[in-house]
């Protein structure tokens, strides 16, 4: 007898050893299919030009309800939407962990053009440092203020 997915679940006349072997083989096939689906999702993210996006989330002074700064958050463009830690977990399970980690690395303290070249050669796309731009004072966050007050947060 087969279930809805076409997996053998029972057959009269088989010994218990053969039934267990068939079930184990089916479970392995299901795991392989899940791993391949995960590889396809991660590969699509890796091949997407804007796979890793940086989003700014306001940091709010709760006493004044004013945005006083922002935190930069990494978000992957792939579907289904989920937090970065779930993308990284799936990437490692699919054997693509190092690739996704490199895609998401932000190199800090880049001080020379030579360092930029090394980073590009190793696949790192995001960097910060004095060679690329000097620190600036806190940015004005007025555009978040109205949004937060209207939302009542």
């Amino acid at each position: 007898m087969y279930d809805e997915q076409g997996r053998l679940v029972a057959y009269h006349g088989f010994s218990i050893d053969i039934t267990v072997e068939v079930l184990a083989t089916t479970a392995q096939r299901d795991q392989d299919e899940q791993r391949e689906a995960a590889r396809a999702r991660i590969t699509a993210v890796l091949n997407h030009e804007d796979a890793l996006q940086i989003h700014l989330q306001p940091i709010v002074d709760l006493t004044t309800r004013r945005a006083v700064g922002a935190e930069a958050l990494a978000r992957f463009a792939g579907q289904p939407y989920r937090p970065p830690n779930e993308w990284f977990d799936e990437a490692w399970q699919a054997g693509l962990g190092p690739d996704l980690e490199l895609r998401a690395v932000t190199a800090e303290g880049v001080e020379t053009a030579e360092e930029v070249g090394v980073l590009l050669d190793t696949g790192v796309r995001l960097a910060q440092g004095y060679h690329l731009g000097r620190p600036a004072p806190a940015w004005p966050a007025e555009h978040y203020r109205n949004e937060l007050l209207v939302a009542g947060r």
Side-chain angles (χ1 to χ4, degrees), residues 12-41:
H12 299 292
F14 272 81
S15 73
I16 191 70
D17 293 338
I18 292 173
T19 303
V20 168
E21 183 178 327
V22 168
L23 292 175
T25 301
T26 301
Q28 182 62 49
R29 186 186 70 218
D30 290 348
Q31 286 178 346
D32 292 345
E33 288 173 1
Q34 289 173 358
R35 187 176 303 112
E36 283 307 310
R39 285 185 67 81
R41 281 191 297 276

Short mmCIF file of all heavy atoms in Angstrom, two decimals, residues 12-41:
data_model
loop_
_atom_site.label_atom_id
_atom_site.label_comp_id
_atom_site.label_asym_id
_atom_site.label_seq_id
_atom_site.Cartn_x
_atom_site.Cartn_y
_atom_site.Cartn_z
N HIS A 12 1.68 -6.68 2.33
CA HIS A 12 1.62 -8.01 2.94
C HIS A 12 2.58 -8.94 2.22
O HIS A 12 2.64 -8.98 1.00
CB HIS A 12 0.20 -8.55 2.90
CG HIS A 12 -0.76 -7.69 3.65
ND1 HIS A 12 -0.71 -7.58 5.02
CD2 HIS A 12 -1.75 -6.86 3.23
CE1 HIS A 12 -1.65 -6.75 5.42
NE2 HIS A 12 -2.29 -6.29 4.35
N GLY A 13 3.32 -9.69 2.98
CA GLY A 13 4.25 -10.65 2.41
C GLY A 13 5.70 -10.22 2.53
O GLY A 13 6.59 -11.03 2.40
N PHE A 14 5.96 -8.93 2.74
CA PHE A 14 7.34 -8.48 2.96
C PHE A 14 7.75 -8.84 4.37
O PHE A 14 6.95 -8.79 5.30
CB PHE A 14 7.44 -6.95 2.82
CG PHE A 14 7.68 -6.47 1.43
CD1 PHE A 14 6.63 -6.36 0.53
CD2 PHE A 14 8.94 -6.12 1.02
CE1 PHE A 14 6.84 -5.91 -0.74
CE2 PHE A 14 9.16 -5.67 -0.26
CZ PHE A 14 8.11 -5.55 -1.15
N SER A 15 8.99 -9.13 4.54
CA SER A 15 9.47 -9.32 5.91
C SER A 15 9.65 -7.96 6.55
O SER A 15 9.73 -6.95 5.87
CB SER A 15 10.81 -10.08 5.91
OG SER A 15 11.83 -9.23 5.47
N ILE A 16 9.72 -7.92 7.84
CA ILE A 16 9.87 -6.66 8.57
C ILE A 16 11.17 -5.97 8.18
O ILE A 16 11.23 -4.75 8.08
CB ILE A 16 9.76 -6.86 10.10
CG1 ILE A 16 9.66 -5.51 10.82
CG2 ILE A 16 10.94 -7.63 10.64
CD1 ILE A 16 8.39 -4.79 10.60
N ASP A 17 12.23 -6.73 7.90
CA ASP A 17 13.52 -6.14 7.51
C ASP A 17 13.39 -5.36 6.21
O ASP A 17 13.93 -4.27 6.06
CB ASP A 17 14.59 -7.22 7.37
CG ASP A 17 14.95 -7.86 8.70
OD1 ASP A 17 14.71 -7.21 9.74
OD2 ASP A 17 15.45 -8.99 8.69
N ILE A 18 12.68 -5.93 5.24
CA ILE A 18 12.53 -5.26 3.95
C ILE A 18 11.68 -4.01 4.12
O ILE A 18 11.99 -2.96 3.55
CB ILE A 18 11.93 -6.22 2.91
CG1 ILE A 18 12.94 -7.33 2.61
CG2 ILE A 18 11.56 -5.47 1.63
CD1 ILE A 18 12.40 -8.42 1.72
N THR A 19 10.61 -4.08 4.91
CA THR A 19 9.75 -2.91 5.13
C THR A 19 10.55 -1.79 5.79
O THR A 19 10.46 -0.63 5.39
CB THR A 19 8.55 -3.30 6.01
OG1 THR A 19 7.83 -4.35 5.36
CG2 THR A 19 7.63 -2.11 6.22
N VAL A 20 11.36 -2.10 6.78
CA VAL A 20 12.18 -1.10 7.45
C VAL A 20 13.19 -0.50 6.47
O VAL A 20 13.41 0.70 6.44
CB VAL A 20 12.89 -1.71 8.69
CG1 VAL A 20 13.96 -0.77 9.21
CG2 VAL A 20 11.88 -2.03 9.76
N GLU A 21 13.77 -1.34 5.62
CA GLU A 21 14.74 -0.85 4.64
C GLU A 21 14.07 0.10 3.64
O GLU A 21 14.62 1.14 3.30
CB GLU A 21 15.38 -2.02 3.89
CG GLU A 21 16.44 -1.58 2.91
CD GLU A 21 17.10 -2.78 2.23
OE1 GLU A 21 17.23 -3.84 2.85
OE2 GLU A 21 17.46 -2.61 1.06
N VAL A 22 12.87 -0.25 3.19
CA VAL A 22 12.14 0.60 2.26
C VAL A 22 11.81 1.94 2.92
O VAL A 22 11.98 3.00 2.32
CB VAL A 22 10.86 -0.10 1.75
CG1 VAL A 22 9.95 0.88 1.02
CG2 VAL A 22 11.23 -1.26 0.84
N LEU A 23 11.37 1.91 4.16
CA LEU A 23 11.04 3.15 4.87
C LEU A 23 12.29 4.01 5.08
O LEU A 23 12.24 5.23 4.93
CB LEU A 23 10.36 2.84 6.20
CG LEU A 23 8.96 2.23 6.09
CD1 LEU A 23 8.45 1.84 7.47
CD2 LEU A 23 8.00 3.17 5.41
N ALA A 24 13.41 3.38 5.40
CA ALA A 24 14.66 4.13 5.58
C ALA A 24 15.10 4.75 4.26
O ALA A 24 15.55 5.90 4.22
CB ALA A 24 15.74 3.22 6.14
N THR A 25 14.95 4.01 3.16
CA THR A 25 15.32 4.52 1.85
C THR A 25 14.43 5.71 1.48
O THR A 25 14.90 6.71 0.95
CB THR A 25 15.20 3.41 0.79
OG1 THR A 25 16.06 2.34 1.16
CG2 THR A 25 15.56 3.92 -0.59
N THR A 26 13.15 5.60 1.76
CA THR A 26 12.21 6.69 1.49
C THR A 26 12.57 7.92 2.32
O THR A 26 12.56 9.04 1.81
CB THR A 26 10.77 6.25 1.79
OG1 THR A 26 10.47 5.11 0.98
CG2 THR A 26 9.78 7.35 1.51
N ALA A 27 12.90 7.73 3.58
CA ALA A 27 13.29 8.85 4.44
C ALA A 27 14.56 9.51 3.91
O ALA A 27 14.65 10.74 3.89
CB ALA A 27 13.50 8.37 5.87
N GLN A 28 15.52 8.72 3.45
CA GLN A 28 16.76 9.27 2.89
C GLN A 28 16.47 10.07 1.63
O GLN A 28 17.00 11.15 1.42
CB GLN A 28 17.77 8.16 2.60
CG GLN A 28 19.09 8.67 2.06
CD GLN A 28 19.81 9.57 3.04
OE1 GLN A 28 19.96 9.23 4.20
NE2 GLN A 28 20.24 10.74 2.59
N ARG A 29 15.58 9.53 0.77
CA ARG A 29 15.21 10.24 -0.46
C ARG A 29 14.55 11.58 -0.12
O ARG A 29 14.84 12.60 -0.72
CB ARG A 29 14.26 9.38 -1.30
CG ARG A 29 13.95 10.04 -2.67
CD ARG A 29 12.91 9.29 -3.46
NE ARG A 29 11.64 9.47 -2.78
CZ ARG A 29 10.71 8.53 -2.66
NH1 ARG A 29 10.91 7.33 -3.15
NH2 ARG A 29 9.58 8.78 -2.03
N ASP A 30 13.67 11.59 0.89
CA ASP A 30 13.03 12.83 1.32
C ASP A 30 14.06 13.84 1.82
O ASP A 30 13.98 15.03 1.50
CB ASP A 30 11.99 12.57 2.41
CG ASP A 30 10.76 11.84 1.89
OD1 ASP A 30 10.59 11.74 0.65
OD2 ASP A 30 9.98 11.36 2.73
N GLN A 31 15.03 13.37 2.60
CA GLN A 31 16.08 14.26 3.10
C GLN A 31 16.90 14.82 1.95
O GLN A 31 17.24 16.00 1.94
CB GLN A 31 17.00 13.52 4.08
CG GLN A 31 16.39 13.26 5.42
CD GLN A 31 17.32 12.46 6.32
OE1 GLN A 31 18.32 11.90 5.87
NE2 GLN A 31 16.99 12.42 7.60
N ASP A 32 17.22 13.98 0.97
CA ASP A 32 17.98 14.42 -0.19
C ASP A 32 17.21 15.48 -0.97
O ASP A 32 17.79 16.48 -1.41
CB ASP A 32 18.33 13.25 -1.10
CG ASP A 32 19.33 12.28 -0.48
OD1 ASP A 32 19.98 12.65 0.53
OD2 ASP A 32 19.45 11.15 -0.99
N GLU A 33 15.91 15.26 -1.14
CA GLU A 33 15.08 16.23 -1.86
C GLU A 33 15.02 17.56 -1.10
O GLU A 33 15.09 18.63 -1.71
CB GLU A 33 13.66 15.68 -2.06
CG GLU A 33 13.61 14.57 -3.09
CD GLU A 33 12.24 13.89 -3.17
OE1 GLU A 33 11.31 14.30 -2.43
OE2 GLU A 33 12.11 12.96 -3.98
N GLN A 34 14.90 17.51 0.22
CA GLN A 34 14.88 18.74 1.02
C GLN A 34 16.21 19.46 0.92
O GLN A 34 16.25 20.69 0.83
CB GLN A 34 14.55 18.41 2.48
CG GLN A 34 13.11 17.99 2.69
CD GLN A 34 12.84 17.51 4.11
OE1 GLN A 34 13.73 17.47 4.95
NE2 GLN A 34 11.60 17.14 4.37
N ARG A 35 17.31 18.72 0.96
CA ARG A 35 18.64 19.32 0.86
C ARG A 35 18.81 20.00 -0.51
O ARG A 35 19.34 21.11 -0.61
CB ARG A 35 19.73 18.28 1.08
CG ARG A 35 21.12 18.89 1.16
CD ARG A 35 22.21 17.87 1.49
NE ARG A 35 21.93 17.18 2.74
CZ ARG A 35 21.61 15.87 2.82
NH1 ARG A 35 21.53 15.13 1.76
NH2 ARG A 35 21.39 15.32 3.99
N GLU A 36 18.34 19.34 -1.58
CA GLU A 36 18.45 19.93 -2.91
C GLU A 36 17.58 21.18 -3.05
O GLU A 36 17.99 22.15 -3.68
CB GLU A 36 18.09 18.90 -3.99
CG GLU A 36 19.19 17.90 -4.24
CD GLU A 36 20.53 18.56 -4.54
OE1 GLU A 36 20.61 19.46 -5.41
OE2 GLU A 36 21.53 18.18 -3.89
N ALA A 37 16.40 21.16 -2.44
CA ALA A 37 15.54 22.36 -2.46
C ALA A 37 16.22 23.50 -1.71
O ALA A 37 16.19 24.66 -2.16
CB ALA A 37 14.18 22.04 -1.86
N ALA A 38 16.85 23.19 -0.59
CA ALA A 38 17.58 24.21 0.18
C ALA A 38 18.75 24.75 -0.64
O ALA A 38 18.97 25.96 -0.68
CB ALA A 38 18.08 23.62 1.50
N ARG A 39 19.49 23.87 -1.30
CA ARG A 39 20.61 24.31 -2.15
C ARG A 39 20.11 25.25 -3.24
O ARG A 39 20.74 26.26 -3.55
CB ARG A 39 21.34 23.13 -2.77
CG ARG A 39 22.23 22.38 -1.81
CD ARG A 39 23.03 21.29 -2.52
NE ARG A 39 24.00 21.84 -3.45
CZ ARG A 39 25.19 22.31 -3.12
NH1 ARG A 39 25.57 22.33 -1.87
NH2 ARG A 39 26.01 22.77 -4.04
N ALA A 40 18.95 24.93 -3.82
CA ALA A 40 18.40 25.78 -4.88
C ALA A 40 18.04 27.16 -4.33
O ALA A 40 18.31 28.18 -4.98
CB ALA A 40 17.19 25.11 -5.51
N ARG A 41 17.42 27.20 -3.14
CA ARG A 41 17.07 28.50 -2.53
C ARG A 41 18.32 29.33 -2.23
O ARG A 41 18.37 30.52 -2.52
CB ARG A 41 16.26 28.30 -1.25
CG ARG A 41 14.81 27.99 -1.46
CD ARG A 41 14.02 28.06 -0.16
NE ARG A 41 14.46 27.07 0.82
CZ ARG A 41 14.03 25.81 0.85
NH1 ARG A 41 13.18 25.37 -0.05
NH2 ARG A 41 14.47 24.98 1.79
#
